[in-house]
Amino acid sequence: MKVFLRLLKFIKPYSGWIAIALISMICVSISSVTAAYLIKPLFDNVLIGSKEIAKTGSFLAEKLNILYNYYIKEATKYMSMEWAVALSIFIAILIKSISTFFSTFSFGVIGISLVNDLRNYLYSRIIYQPLSFYAKEPVGTLISKIVSDVNYILTAFGERLGDIFQETFTVIGLLIFIFSINFKLALLSLLLMPLLLLPIIRFTRSLRKASHKSMEKMGEMTSVLSQTLIGIKIVKAFTAEEYVKENFKNLSMKQLKHNIKARKIHDLNGPIMEFIGITFALGMFIYAGYLIKVGQMSVGSFSSFLAALFMLYAPIKKINKANLAIQQAVSAGERIFQISDRENEGDETSKIEEIPVLKDKIKFENVSFSYNEREVLKDISFELPKGKTLAIVGASGSGKSTIASLLMGFYQPQKGKITIDGVDIENFSKKALRGFIGFVSQEPILFNDTILNNICFGEKKPDLKKVQEVAELSYCKEFIESLPLKYETNVGELGSLISGGERQRICLARALYKNPPVLILDEATSNLDANAEKIVQKAIDSILKERTSLVIAHRLSTVVESYKILVLEEGKIVEEGTHKELMEKRGRYYELFKIQTGG
């Protein structure tokens, strides 16, 4: 119930449509009762031929009789009794049809809008999660929650929620009406309700459980699909098509099993209710026949009662279906709110919102960090003065990239602190911190968009002149200008339509576009061939002049001009100094340099 009420909160902005829906539903209820009532004169006045309305002791029935008699008196001045009765039924059905459209359409608009808002809300919560979140949540599972799970809510709120309100109004109106005709017969009919509620409760529990399992398996399937398509080169390189196919097939069979179970529960519900209803109706016919025989009810009254009773069946069936759909939506909502309720980087308050310039230095003070239980950095301390380039080198897995991630605020150190001009970076908002730092990663990640939009990524109104300036600085202007569409050229998925060196230079231009006071280059040339590396390194050299930079490098030849070089080994700084000083020490740096340069 708590999850359902939370989902309902997303409806609040659509109060206008809610008002239209409620008015329409009341009209549907009134017109349904009116149509049921008019069956009585149809039988008594038209088919049997009586000219008067049979009276009953019920207040509601008497009021309806008075209104009907007045209508007949006026209508028969212009037409026959038969045509007057037929016209009244036609008008009631027409009003019901029009009202049903507005009711259904209004809830449809509310449902579609709610799901759109919910999807945007969930997406915004996901993209503000820290990087540690993505290490635990598979991408496919997240995609499944945004796409598939939200669709269950669309079905429930866009199609079925309106049924609950609409049919509840109709059921109440029809119940009042059948009690007004014959209290005992109506009471006998309502003995059916407990028999209907038992399967509803049982089916609700079973369907909710099966739906939850089905959604979990769908998330796993989406995750496997996402990983396979992203890593398709590896799949083919290792001829693992059969392996991944069988893995996906096994997951899909598990999901199919839960889907079939949910479908069985869903489809059993209707026939069971129908069987119970018809069985009970037979007994009711026998009792009604007795009432007509002893003169306590006319054929028209029973026909009207019967019509109202059968009209009750459809709304109750719809309410039950709506309940099942809402249980699926609640199950989906639980999975969605498990994500959205997590504290994220967008929830920061009382943080410094801007870091205009670097006045003095960046400092790591006795910083230690662990991934799960594995210690990656151990008591790291160093300074990066304004306008200088500090290089960090070492073997793979020594903790170099972790230093960059900590400075960017992707993770928080378990011990020690990182300061900018003496202020702990924990005091800055993530937006301020990352706006202060430009970042170029080892993997040149581009989006399936134009070169222009990739360079000024995150900007709503690109500055073309500035784009051209940073393109020239990063040595990519020449190859861009040679393209037919120039800056409007689409780079493809992950930049697949251009070379690795070109991708990396565009990433450099992207980092420069926001003109950050501090620049981090995380092994920016490690995946390039010799020619591409030479061009990218030339771009890097021009960029780093008089800029505060942290360069993480695997190839030592790229950092010989750095102000200071830190040598990392198993999470510890084992050496530090200039290239010349470290070479003279003939320590670990000297050994690495000799290996890479062939002695």
Side-chain angles (χ1 to χ4, degrees):
M1 190 64 180
K2 185 179 178 181
V3 173
F4 179 68
L5 292 174
R6 286 189 66 182
L7 291 171
L8 279 180
K9 288 180 181 178
F10 285 87
I11 295 178
K12 282 184 179 180
Y14 307 102
S15 55
W17 285 107
I18 292 171
I20 293 172
L22 288 174
I23 292 168
S24 301
M25 286 188 285
I26 292 169
C27 290
V28 170
S29 178
I30 293 171
S31 57
S32 296
V33 172
T34 304
Y37 167 80
L38 290 171
I39 300 297
K40 180 182 178 182
L42 180 66
F43 272 81
D44 288 344
N45 300 131
V46 177
L47 299 179
I48 295 175
S50 173
K51 297 300 180 183
E52 292 186 7
I53 301 298
K55 296 187 179 296
T56 68
S58 163
F59 173 79
L60 177 61
E62 286 302 321
K63 291 298 179 185
L64 289 172
N65 289 341
I66 291 169
L67 288 172
Y68 178 74
N69 278 331
Y70 177 77
Y71 162 76
I72 288 295
K73 183 180 177 182
E74 294 298 319
T76 50
K77 293 178 182 177
Y78 308 99
M79 63 187 79
S80 66
M81 170 74 78
E82 290 80 2
W83 278 103
V85 173
L87 180 62
S88 66
I89 295 172
F90 173 78
I91 292 170
I93 299 298
L94 179 63
I95 292 171
K96 182 182 178 182
S97 299
I98 294 171
S99 301
T100 299
F101 164 75
F102 280 105
S103 170
T104 306
F105 180 69
S106 298
F107 264 100
V109 171
I110 291 168
I112 293 167
S113 303
L114 177 149
V115 167
N116 182 63
D117 293 345
L118 186 60
R119 188 173 278 134
N120 289 332
Y121 167 72
L122 180 58
Y123 181 71
S124 69
R125 297 295 296 181
I126 286 174
I127 60 170
Y128 279 109
Q129 291 294 327
L131 280 185
S132 56
F133 165 83
Y134 297 97
K136 297 172 184 175
E137 289 284 344
V139 172
T141 301
L142 296 177
I143 293 171
S144 176
K145 288 180 180 180
I146 293 175
V147 179
S148 300
D149 289 10
V150 171
N151 278 338
Y152 283 101
I153 296 169
L154 174 60
T155 301
F157 284 78
E159 299 173 20
R160 299 299 183 191
L161 184 62
D163 286 347
I164 285 186
F165 288 99
Q166 172 66 79
E167 305 310 334
T168 299
F169 279 124
T170 302
V171 165
I172 291 170
L174 290 171
L175 283 174
I176 293 171
F177 178 67
I178 63 173
F179 271 98
S180 74
I181 294 175
N182 190 292
F183 186 85
K184 288 182 180 179
L185 189 59
L187 193 61
L188 179 65
S189 304
L190 290 183
L191 291 175
L192 175 64
M193 290 301 174
L195 294 174
L196 288 174
L197 287 174
L198 287 174
I200 288 173
I201 293 168
R202 179 64 184 267
F203 289 147
T204 293
R205 289 174 181 170
S206 301
L207 183 64
R208 186 170 175 181
K209 187 177 179 181
S211 297
H212 196 80
K213 291 285 186 183
S214 174
M215 289 177 204
E216 284 181 352
K217 294 304 172 188
M218 178 58 76
E220 290 179 29
M221 284 172 61
T222 311
S223 179
V224 169
L225 181 62
S226 174
Q227 290 177 52
T228 304
L229 296 180
I230 290 171
I232 192 67
K233 284 185 180 179
I234 302 299
V235 172
K236 291 187 175 296
F238 285 84
T239 60
E241 289 92 342
E242 283 297 318
Y243 172 78
V244 296
K245 186 182 82 174
E246 285 302 314
N247 190 22
F248 186 81
K249 185 179 178 181
N250 289 337
L251 281 172
S252 68
M253 287 301 294
K254 289 177 183 178
Q255 205 255 350
L256 175 64
K257 178 183 173 183
H258 293 299
N259 268 350
I260 290 174
K261 185 176 180 181
R263 186 72 196 191
K264 181 179 74 174
I265 295 166
H266 187 279
D267 292 348
L268 267 175
N269 187 56
I272 288 174
M273 287 180 63
E274 190 169 359
F275 174 76
I276 294 171
I278 290 172
T279 302
F280 195 84
L282 290 173
M284 185 194 64
F285 266 99
I286 295 170
Y287 180 63
Y290 166 76
L291 293 176
I292 293 170
K293 190 175 181 180
V294 298
Q296 294 183 16
M297 178 181 278
S298 70
V299 173
S301 293
F302 177 64
S303 300
S304 185
F305 179 92
L306 198 61
L309 196 63
F310 276 104
M311 286 171 74
L312 271 174
Y313 174 73
I316 291 172
K317 191 175 180 180
K318 281 187 177 182
I319 289 170
N320 183 41
K321 281 187 175 181
N323 177 54
L324 295 176
I326 284 170
Q327 292 308 314
Q328 289 178 313
V330 168
S331 184
E334 286 173 349
R335 282 165 49 84
I336 287 169
F337 291 133
Q338 281 173 2
I339 298 295
S340 66
D341 287 348
R342 298 191 188 194
E343 186 178 351
N344 64 32
E345 293 176 345
D347 297 333
E348 296 174 311
T349 56
S350 304
K351 299 274 188 176
I352 299 170
E353 294 295 334
E354 188 179 2
I355 315 172
V357 292
L358 179 64
K359 297 174 183 176
D360 185 17
K361 62 188 174 185
I362 294 171
K363 190 175 181 181
F364 275 60
E365 301 179 40
N366 307 112
V367 171
S368 296
F369 179 77
S370 300
Y371 287 113
N372 297 323
E373 300 299 321
R374 185 172 65 90
E375 195 170 26
V376 181
L377 295 178
K378 305 168 186 176
D379 201 31
I380 296 291
S381 296
F382 65 84
E383 294 180 359
L384 172 55
K386 178 182 179 181
K388 300 293 184 180
T389 297
L390 176 72
I392 302 176
V393 302
S396 296
S398 60
K400 304 186 301 296
S401 294
T402 303
I403 289 175
S405 295
L406 291 174
L407 181 54
M408 292 287 292
F410 293 148
Y411 303 98
Q412 283 71 49
Q414 274 89 37
K415 294 179 183 177
K417 64 179 180 178
I418 305 166
T419 61
I420 296 174
D421 292 332
V423 180
D424 194 324
I425 63 169
E426 287 297 304
N427 294 323
F428 299 113
S429 70
K430 295 296 184 292
K431 185 177 180 181
L433 182 63
R434 292 164 192 169
F436 178 75
I437 301 170
F439 181 67
V440 181
S441 65
Q442 180 178 351
E443 292 294 331
I445 297 172
L446 298 179
F447 297 90
N448 189 10
D449 205 337
T450 63
I451 290 173
L452 174 67
N453 289 337
N454 269 286
I455 290 176
C456 56
F457 183 65
E459 287 283 333
K460 292 182 180 178
K461 295 182 180 179
D463 184 336
L464 186 57
K465 185 179 178 182
K466 189 177 177 182
V467 168
Q468 291 171 336
E469 287 173 359
V470 297
E472 190 168 0
L473 267 175
S474 56
Y475 283 78
C476 58
K477 187 175 182 180
E478 186 178 341
F479 92 80
I480 292 172
E481 295 288 353
S482 69
L483 297 170
L485 297 178
K486 297 181 172 53
Y487 290 91
E488 293 300 324
T489 302
N490 194 294
V491 300
E493 192 79 25
L494 299 176
S496 58
L497 300 180
I498 58 178
S499 72
E502 289 167 345
R503 286 199 295 270
Q504 196 62 285
R505 280 179 277 163
I506 290 174
C507 288
L508 285 169
R510 180 172 63 196
L512 288 176
Y513 182 82
K514 63 179 184 178
N515 193 28
V518 176
L519 186 64
I520 297 176
L521 303 180
D522 186 1
E523 303 201 40
T525 62
S526 62
N527 291 330
L528 304 177
D529 59 43
N531 288 332
E533 182 190 355
K534 190 175 180 180
I535 297 171
V536 172
Q537 189 58 47
K538 191 176 180 182
I540 289 172
D541 291 340
S542 71
I543 288 167
L544 296 185
K545 290 176 181 176
E546 298 181 0
R547 188 182 292 273
T548 309
S549 309
L550 179 67
V551 178
I552 294 162
H554 180 69
R555 297 179 186 176
L556 305 186
S557 59
T558 63
V559 299
V560 294
E561 299 297 328
S562 300
Y563 145 78
K564 185 183 283 187
I565 300 168
L566 306 180
V567 183
L568 228 63
E569 201 165 85
E570 295 183 357
K572 294 181 180 179
I573 298 174
V574 293
E575 289 181 343
E576 60 179 290
T578 64
H579 171 71
K580 184 179 179 182
E581 289 168 349
L582 292 173
M583 290 298 287
E584 289 173 353
K585 284 182 181 179
R586 292 180 174 262
R588 184 60 178 150
Y589 179 86
Y590 175 81
E591 292 172 4
L592 291 171
F593 196 85
K594 276 183 66 180
I595 293 169
Q596 289 191 12
T597 57

